[in-house]
Every structure is written in structure tokens, then in C-alpha cells.
């Protein structure tokens, strides 16, 4: 009867479709004896006769629902492919028009350059539309996972379940697409390659953990969002439902190679922020890395607007304060710098014909207003 049971929840809609189609069940917590298994099958067979119609109805409904979700994802992917093809065709047309202007219409070099300067602007706007579509597709994927993946534990209340799902919606809307986040965390994967194992405190959707698994890097994650943890556990990642500082307290002293807190410190009360540094210093071995990424408190565009789009943010964390805390806990400062610049279209323009003093002023204003969107800190335990 071994083929009638599953040991762990399947990952994704296709796995659940197989469960319902083949009527697979969870293995009993206590392995039954042959006699108990025989009795169980006899009793179940009697109940199946009585409730056969209802069971078949439930099975058919669940399979139909999973098929519908699969179709939604396929349609969204098709729309994205069509849009990308249209964008590539439009860019090719613009390049062709540029050549025609230069060859057939006798445009001067300056005119062609001015027209050509509009091409990257149009391209950036189209790229922004594609990025927005990617986020919408990711939101659809999250809804699929909400239906198909089980919860790790029973919810404490309907309110707690709703809060977890709502935060996932915020994360999908504000954090960027999975492809963008993977590109942003790639430097951390490279650092973790020589500093294993990695502990991801506040792993969110798990992009960093997935990349570590792909690269054969030992990694473990923690998060307080029950729905997100359920997704990651179902996909086979080592993730636990635990927040700071408890998640680092669960790590034996001097055993971690890297501790990562990506977009976490801005959510923490100050006493928990202090505990993050203390527990990271305790958990890391000598030479281990503490990596922090947080919205850039020195960018006025971030602190004046973008930061507050997420209602769960408590306060921006200034690099001077984070540097002081790091040194107080025995960390050497390897790297502190802004990353992920705003698009060029956000910056104040300064032309080559403007006076040098004006250009310097515009440059200084751009640095203060539109510095990197995030701050990256790489700290090494002494």
C-alpha cells in the first residue's frame, strides 16, 4: 500500500493534481501493523461506498480548480511573451527609422543624435511596463500557491491568516519581480560560497535560498510570515517559522559562515535591532560575514516617499548608526555603500552647455535626492 501515501506536501499545482487524481493520502503518524492496516482499509472501503458521490464531487472540483489556475498562469505567460515580442519589434522599427533618416532624408548628424537620444527613453518606459507586468504575474503565482500549498501550522485566527497573506501582497507589489531580486542578491551568493553555511534571517519569498540551493551552498532560512514559510517548505527548502532574535539564538555559537538580513532592520524595534548584532556576532565564526541591506536613509527620495509605501516599516536605519552598532559588537566594516540607483529619468538634468558651477550643484542635488535606493553593508566578524 506504500504507493497510496505521501510523506510530505507536494510542491505546486501539478503535485496536488496528482494527489487528487490518484487519491493519495498522508501516511499515518504511527506506522500501522499489517492487521491495523487491513482493518483500516476495510473500514475505509465501507465509508467510500457510503460517501463515494461526495468524494468524487470534491475530487473533481479540486482538479478543475487546479486546471483553472494552471490555465491562468499559462495565459499570463503568453501575454508577457507577446509584449516582449512587440517591444523588440518596436525597438527594431525605431532603429530602422533612424537609419532611414540618416540615409534617405538628409538629416544632419545633430538631428539624428537628438532623435536617437529618444530611443533609450522609450525603451526604459517599455521596460518599466514589462516590469509592472512581471509583478502582476508574480502576484497571480502567489495566489496559486496560496490555494495549492498547505499551511505549516494551524492559523491562530482568521485575522493572523489574513495579515500573512496581505503582507505577501505588499511584498509582491513593492519588492520587485523574482528576476530583479535574484539579480540583486547575486553578490551575496558569491560571498556565501566561501562562507558557509548561510543563515537568511527574514527570508521572505526565498530568492536567496533558492539561488544557494542551485549553487550547492548550504543555507537555512527563517521568517515570521506563515504563508511564505509554507511555500518555501513545500518547495523543499530548509525554512522555519521564527523571527529575530529567536532564529539566531537557535544557531549554535561560532557555526555560521554568513548571516543575511535583507530588508529586515527597518522593520525591527530598536531593542531587537541591538539583538540582531549581538546574536549574529555570537552565531558567526571568526571571519564570518554579517550582510545587511536596507532602504537608503541618506536618499531623500527614499525617506521622503518610497520608504513609507510599506506600512510595516518602522524607521529608516542610518548607515552611521548601523556602523556604530557593528563596531560595538566586534565587526570590521568591509563595505558600506548605496546600491540600486534610481532610473536616470528621475534625476535632475544638467546639459553640457550649463556652467560648471550649476552642473556641480545639480550633481550634488541628485546625489542627495536620488542616491541609491538601498544601502548595502558587509561586515566581518573579528
Amino acid at each position: 500500500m506504500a504507493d497510496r501515501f505521501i510523506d510530505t506536501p507536494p510542491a505546486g499545482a501539478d503535485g496536488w493534481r496528482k494527489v487528487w487524481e490518484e487519491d493519495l493520502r498522508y501516511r499515518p503518524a504511527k506506522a500501522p501493523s499489517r492487521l491495523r492496516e487491513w482493518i483500516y482499509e476495510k473500514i475505509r472501503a465501507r465509508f467510500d461506498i457510503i460517501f463515494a458521490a461526495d468524494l468524487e464531487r470534491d475530487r473533481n472540483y479540486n482538479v478543475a480548480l487546479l486546471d483553472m489556475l494552471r490555465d491562468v498562469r499559462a495565459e499570463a505567460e503568453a501575454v508577457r511573451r507577446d509584449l516582449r515580442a512587440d517591444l523588440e519589434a518596436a525597438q527594431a522599427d525605431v532603429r530602422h527609422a533612424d537609419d532611414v533618416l540618416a540615409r534617405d532624408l538628409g538629416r544632419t548628424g545633430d538631428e539624428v543624435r537628438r532623435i536617437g537620444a529618444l530611443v533609450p527613453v522609450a525603451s526604459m518606459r517599455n521596460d518599466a511596463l514589462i516590469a509592472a507586468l512581471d509583478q502582476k504575474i508574480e502576484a497571480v503565482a502567489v495566489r496559486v500557491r496560496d490555494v495549492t500549498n498547505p499551511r505549516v501550522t494551524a492559523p491562530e485566527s482568521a485575522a493572523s491568516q489574513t495579515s500573512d497573506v496581505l503582507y505577501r501582497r505588499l511584498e509582491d507589489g513593492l519588492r520587485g519581480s523574482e528576476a530583479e531580486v535574484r539579480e540583486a542578491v547575486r553578490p551575496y551568493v558569491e560571498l556565501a560560497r566561501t562562507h558557509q553555511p548561510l543563515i537568511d534571517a527574514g527570508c521572505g519569498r526565498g530568492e536567496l535560498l533558492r539561488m544557494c540551493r542551485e549553487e550547492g551552498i548550504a543555507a537555512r532560512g527563517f521568517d515570521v510570515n506563515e504563508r511564505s514559510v509554507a511555500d518555501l517548505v513545500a518547495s523543499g527548502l530548509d525554512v522555519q517559522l521564527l523571527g529575530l532574535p529567536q532564529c539566531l539564538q537557535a544557531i549554535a555559537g561560532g557555526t555560521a559562515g554568513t548571516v543575511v538580513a535583507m530588508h529586515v532592520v527597518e522593520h525591527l524595534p530598536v531593542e531587537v535591532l541591538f539583538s540582531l548584532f549581538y546574536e549574529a556576532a555570537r552565531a558567526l565564526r571568526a571571519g564570518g560575514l554579517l550582510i545587511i541591506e536596507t532602504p537608503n536613509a541618506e536618499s531623500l527620495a527614499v525617506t521622503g516617499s518610497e520608504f513609507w509605501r510599506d506600512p510595516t516599516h518602522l524607521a529608516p536605519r542610518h548607515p552611521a548608526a548601523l556602523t556604530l552598532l557593528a563596531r560595538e559588537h566586534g565587526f570590521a566594516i568591509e563595505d558600506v555603500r548605496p546600491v540600486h540607483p534610481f532610473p536616470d529619468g528621475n534625476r535632475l538634468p544638467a546639459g553640457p552647455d550649463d556652467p560648471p558651477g550649476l552642473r556641480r550643484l545639480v550633481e550634488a542635488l541628485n546625489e542627495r535626492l536620488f542616491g541609491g535606493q538601498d544601502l548595502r553593508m558587509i561586515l566581518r566578524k573579528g
Side-chain angles (χ1 to χ4, degrees):
M1 302 299 296
D3 59 340
R4 296 290 301 278
F5 294 105
I6 56 174
D7 296 313
T8 58
D14 291 338
W16 278 105
R17 195 181 199 286
K18 183 175 188 300
V19 167
W20 283 106
E21 284 185 330
E22 299 182 13
D23 194 23
L24 304 181
R25 298 168 183 268
Y26 286 112
R27 191 178 299 279
K30 182 178 180 181
S33 66
R34 288 184 177 275
L35 177 60
R36 282 201 300 269
E37 185 174 334
W38 181 83
I39 294 174
Y40 167 80
E41 287 298 324
K42 291 297 183 182
I43 294 175
R44 180 171 173 262
R46 292 294 182 184
F47 275 93
D48 282 352
I49 293 173
I50 298 172
F51 298 108
D54 289 336
L55 292 171
E56 184 65 21
R57 179 197 61 190
D58 291 344
R59 186 179 301 114
N60 291 341
Y61 173 79
N62 286 321
V63 170
L65 178 61
L66 292 170
D67 286 342
M68 180 186 69
L69 292 171
R70 181 193 59 199
D71 292 342
V72 168
R73 296 185 67 177
E75 290 172 7
E77 286 294 330
V79 169
R80 181 166 63 177
R81 286 194 301 271
D82 290 344
L83 282 175
R84 288 192 182 280
D86 291 343
L87 173 59
E88 291 171 359
Q91 290 172 336
D93 289 342
V94 171
R95 287 193 296 270
H96 176 68
D98 194 17
D99 293 339
V100 170
L101 284 171
R103 186 180 66 248
D104 298 335
L105 300 183
R107 295 283 187 179
T108 67
D110 287 343
E111 289 174 316
V112 171
R113 280 193 292 273
R114 283 197 296 270
I115 294 170
L118 298 176
V119 175
V121 175
S123 177
M124 285 189 292
R125 289 175 178 169
N126 283 322
D127 287 345
L129 291 173
I130 293 296
L133 178 62
D134 284 341
Q135 289 188 5
K136 292 182 182 298
I137 291 173
E138 178 62 24
V140 172
V142 168
R143 284 163 172 76
V144 171
R145 293 194 298 269
D146 285 344
V147 173
T148 59
N149 286 344
R151 299 180 66 84
V152 174
T153 59
E156 294 179 3
S157 66
S160 67
Q161 180 177 0
T162 301
S163 295
D164 280 352
V165 173
L166 282 177
Y167 185 75
R168 283 158 55 93
R169 300 290 182 266
L170 280 172
E171 191 173 32
D172 291 325
L174 303 178
R175 190 75 175 95
S177 68
E178 182 177 350
E180 292 171 323
V181 176
R182 286 173 66 93
E183 188 61 31
V185 304
R186 192 172 301 280
Y188 310 145
V189 176
E190 294 305 317
L191 287 169
R193 196 183 304 278
T194 53
H195 297 82
Q196 301 185 43
L198 176 142
I199 306 300
D200 191 351
C203 56
R205 299 184 305 195
E207 291 93 347
L208 178 57
L209 294 176
R210 295 181 197 279
M211 291 184 71
C212 285
R213 179 170 62 182
E214 292 166 7
E215 298 294 330
I217 296 170
R220 182 180 179 188
F222 300 91
D223 205 275
V224 295
N225 189 297
E226 207 275 349
R227 274 294 351 163
S228 295
V229 171
D231 282 349
L232 300 177
V233 169
S235 66
L237 291 167
D238 184 1
V239 181
Q240 288 182 266
L241 186 66
L242 208 59
L244 284 165
Q246 292 81 8
C247 65
L248 293 181
Q249 291 169 349
I251 306 299
T255 61
T258 304
V259 172
V260 177
M262 285 189 59
H263 291 269
V264 169
V265 298
E266 65 271 18
H267 296 269
L268 302 179
V270 66
E271 62 274 10
V272 182
L273 177 64
F274 294 167
S275 296
L276 165 63
F277 283 89
Y278 175 83
E279 293 296 342
R282 183 197 60 80
L284 286 165
R285 60 175 176 266
L289 301 178
L290 170 59
I291 300 174
I292 294 174
E293 185 178 298
T294 185
N296 183 10
E298 293 189 301
S299 169
L300 295 180
V302 172
T303 58
S305 176
E306 294 299 311
F307 182 87
W308 304 108
R309 293 173 67 193
D310 188 337
T312 65
H313 284 174
L314 293 183
R317 302 303 181 188
H318 198 281
L322 297 175
T323 299
L324 175 64
L325 286 171
R327 287 177 172 151
E328 287 292 322
H329 288 86
F331 287 99
I333 312 300
E334 293 264 313
D335 188 21
V336 179
R337 60 190 169 103
V339 293
H340 311 139
F342 281 93
D344 288 342
N346 290 54
R347 301 174 69 85
L348 301 174
D353 298 331
D354 292 333
L358 177 59
R359 290 203 304 271
R360 287 194 296 271
L361 175 61
V362 170
E363 184 178 345
L365 286 173
N366 279 327
E367 186 63 27
R368 178 57 62 187
L369 290 169
F370 304 110
Q373 298 177 69
D374 299 310
L375 176 76
R376 175 183 295 166
M377 298 189 71
I378 300 176
L379 313 171
R380 186 177 297 274
K381 181 181 175 180

